[in-house]
Amino acid sequence: MAEDMGETENQTVLARITASARSERKAKAMKLQKALRIAFAKVADALMDLPAAVLSVSIQNINGEDIETALDDAQLQLILDGPHGCIGAAMFAPVVVGAMIQQQTIGNVSQGPDPERAMTRTDAAICAPLLDALFERLPTLLDEPDEVELIDGFQFGAKAHVARTLALALDASAYIAIRVTLDIARGARQGEVVLILPTLEARAEQPDEAGMDPDPGAASDGADMTKLVMGLNADLRMILCQNNLPLSRLNALKVGDTLKVTPGVFPNVQITTAMGRILGRGEVGHVDGVRAVKIMRAPLHAVRPLRRVSDQPLVDMPEVEVLTASGRRKTVPREVDASAEKVADASSTLPPIVERRAPAASDNDIDKPFPVEDDADDTTSQPALAALPGLEDAPNLDGLPDVNGLPELDDLPDLADLPDLEMQAAS
């Protein structure tokens, strides 16, 4: 009895020690919330030099049927491609998108929200590197295998236009919504980023429902995927023409009434989607007694230019014969040559060009220019300066004293003995 009591007491002590160690390990383990705080801050700083801090992280389970209620058309909605065909979603608040744009364009973030506008694909391209870097860093920080499997393998896929389109792509039975509240640029802005990922249980059910290989490591067959895609239904509408009717006549329409069709519309039928987007045009005809539409395809040269020699059979043009050297025309027609010869003959009969010179200036006509002689280098032909009018009365400069006979200037006083001008002014 004493031995049994001692063994029970020892087991209880060991259990308490093990439980204490297990709880301490769990406290030190990197959870998803803590990993998101670290990852968001480091990724934003490394990619954009943007100070970002996580204020709060909340996790919510959402049923697959209610996934559309968790989506918001006012935010930037993105589709995430996951492992083994899983689809997730991400949403960025407009204030977060505006802060990222400002940081990458002007280098700082202003306070206050941006004007309301529709999110574009450019916004998605700016946020895509942040998402990819986030999903690449998070698995390296997490310690729990389930959380690693939940996050690992996702990346940016495409931008969703509206919440309804995104909800149709999210076809799993259950999802986890991770809401991360960010503080950007040290209090300049605060916004929310939401990550919506399918649960592990929903991923295990999805391959069986889609008829795919349940083994996650098995490679998908390209032929089966082609059959699956080609077997999908595509609803198209053929619009023959459009008529404008008054509302009163439209309300008065009944069975048996006829509407006039605009003449010449059969060769120009619009092929549209259910949303009204025009995909192409066609021509109405009949096949085996039923009406049909023949799609009008653009010619091949409108899509891909045909410039190579191998593309010659596809070009609907006659063959061009190569001209030989004997079959080539002269570059200058004969008429031009004849006219050139006439110009040469006419130039030979012209009189020689004689250089005309100005007449010589007289003594009384001083305003006229000097005459130009045939030999410009001959200085003897130039008129003497004494013969010019008005120079006879000029004084004779021969009586000027010689510069060498000037007195010496050694008797000048020293400049240092001059009185101070400032002192005289003060006195």
Side-chain angles (χ1 to χ4, degrees):
M1 180 70 73
E3 292 179 359
D4 294 340
M5 291 179 63
E7 292 178 359
T8 304
E9 185 177 355
N10 292 335
Q11 291 178 359
T12 304
V13 173
L14 290 176
R16 276 184 281 176
I17 295 174
T18 305
S20 176
R22 190 183 300 111
S23 61
E24 184 178 356
R25 179 181 176 277
K26 287 184 178 181
K28 294 181 179 180
M30 183 68 71
K31 292 291 185 179
L32 181 59
Q33 292 85 340
K34 186 177 180 181
L36 284 171
R37 296 176 186 273
I38 298 175
F40 259 107
K42 291 187 175 296
V43 167
D45 181 68
L47 291 180
M48 307 177 185
D49 197 17
L50 178 65
V54 177
L55 298 180
S56 63
V57 178
S58 62
I59 299 177
Q60 177 186 3
N61 293 323
I62 302 176
N63 191 3
E65 298 178 355
D66 303 330
I67 192 63
E68 189 171 357
T69 59
L71 305 178
D72 187 2
D73 281 331
Q75 297 186 359
L76 175 62
Q77 304 178 74
L78 307 176
I79 298 176
L80 301 178
D81 294 334
H84 317 303
C86 296
I87 300 297
M91 294 190 301
F92 284 75
V95 65
V96 178
V97 177
M100 296 172 64
I101 293 176
Q102 289 184 1
Q103 181 65 25
Q104 293 192 351
T105 53
I106 62 177
N108 57 2
V109 180
S110 62
Q111 295 184 354
D114 297 327
E116 294 184 2
R117 62 179 180 86
M119 297 289 104
T120 62
R121 285 183 290 184
T122 304
D123 301 327
I126 291 177
C127 298
L130 179 67
L131 278 177
D132 293 342
L134 182 66
F135 283 111
E136 184 179 355
R137 190 177 185 87
L138 275 175
T140 62
L141 299 176
L142 295 172
D143 291 335
E144 295 293 334
D146 294 342
E147 294 179 347
V148 174
E149 188 177 357
L150 177 68
I151 296 294
D152 193 16
F154 282 92
Q155 62 181 358
F156 169 76
K159 177 186 178 298
H161 296 284
V162 292
R164 181 175 178 273
T165 305
L166 183 57
L168 293 176
L170 301 176
D171 55 355
S173 59
Y175 287 89
I176 291 179
I178 306 172
R179 300 183 180 274
V180 182
T181 304
L182 295 177
D183 177 85
I184 301 175
R186 301 177 182 86
R189 296 190 179 191
Q190 293 183 2
E192 189 179 62
V193 176
V194 183
L195 304 177
I196 301 176
L197 307 176
T199 61
L200 300 180
E201 294 78 7
R203 297 183 197 180
E205 298 172 358
Q206 192 171 359
D208 296 335
E209 295 176 359
M212 299 175 62
D213 191 354
D215 185 7
S220 60
D221 191 0
D224 295 341
M225 182 62 68
T226 303
K227 293 180 180 179
L228 178 62
V229 174
M230 297 304 294
L232 297 176
N233 294 328
D235 296 332
L236 300 177
R237 296 181 180 180
M238 311 298 171
I239 301 178
L240 185 62
C241 65
Q242 296 179 356
N243 290 333
N244 296 325
L245 299 176
L247 184 59
S248 57
R249 185 180 176 186
L250 185 63
N251 292 331
L253 288 177
K254 59 184 180 299
V255 179
D257 291 346
T258 59
L259 297 175
K260 293 183 179 181
V261 177
T262 306
V265 296
F266 287 98
N268 191 16
V269 176
Q270 293 182 356
I271 305 174
T272 65
T273 62
M275 302 298 293
R277 179 185 177 187
I278 299 177
L279 300 179
R281 299 185 181 274
E283 182 178 358
V284 176
H286 59 85
V287 177
D288 297 333
V290 296
R291 287 293 181 184
V293 175
K294 179 182 178 181
I295 300 176
M296 300 171 61
R297 299 182 180 273
L300 185 60
H301 61 81
V303 181
R304 179 173 61 87
L306 304 177
R307 303 189 183 97
R308 299 179 177 86
V309 179
S310 59
D311 297 334
Q312 186 175 1
L314 303 177
V315 181
D316 188 12
M317 293 182 64
E319 295 185 0
V320 180
E321 298 181 359
V322 180
L323 296 179
T324 59
S326 60
R328 296 179 181 176
R329 295 181 179 180
K330 294 182 179 180
T331 56
V332 180
R334 294 181 178 179
E335 293 78 8
V336 178
D337 294 340
S339 61
E341 294 175 358
K342 292 180 181 180
V343 172
D345 296 340
S347 62
S348 62
T349 59
L350 292 177
I353 299 175
V354 179
E355 184 178 3
R356 299 182 62 86
R357 305 183 182 276
S362 62
D363 295 341
N364 299 327
D365 194 2
I366 194 172
D367 294 334
K368 295 183 179 181
F370 290 106
V372 179
E373 299 295 334
D374 294 338
D375 192 1
D377 296 334
D378 189 7
T379 58
T380 59
S381 61
Q382 301 295 334
L385 295 179
L388 294 177
L391 297 180
E392 294 82 357
D393 300 333
N396 190 6
L397 303 179
D398 296 336
L400 294 176
D402 191 4
V403 178
N404 297 328
L406 294 176
E408 297 293 337
L409 302 178
D410 297 337
D411 298 335
L412 293 177
D414 190 4
L415 297 180
D417 299 335
L418 293 177
D420 192 358
L421 299 179
E422 295 183 357
M423 295 179 60
Q424 291 182 359
S427 60

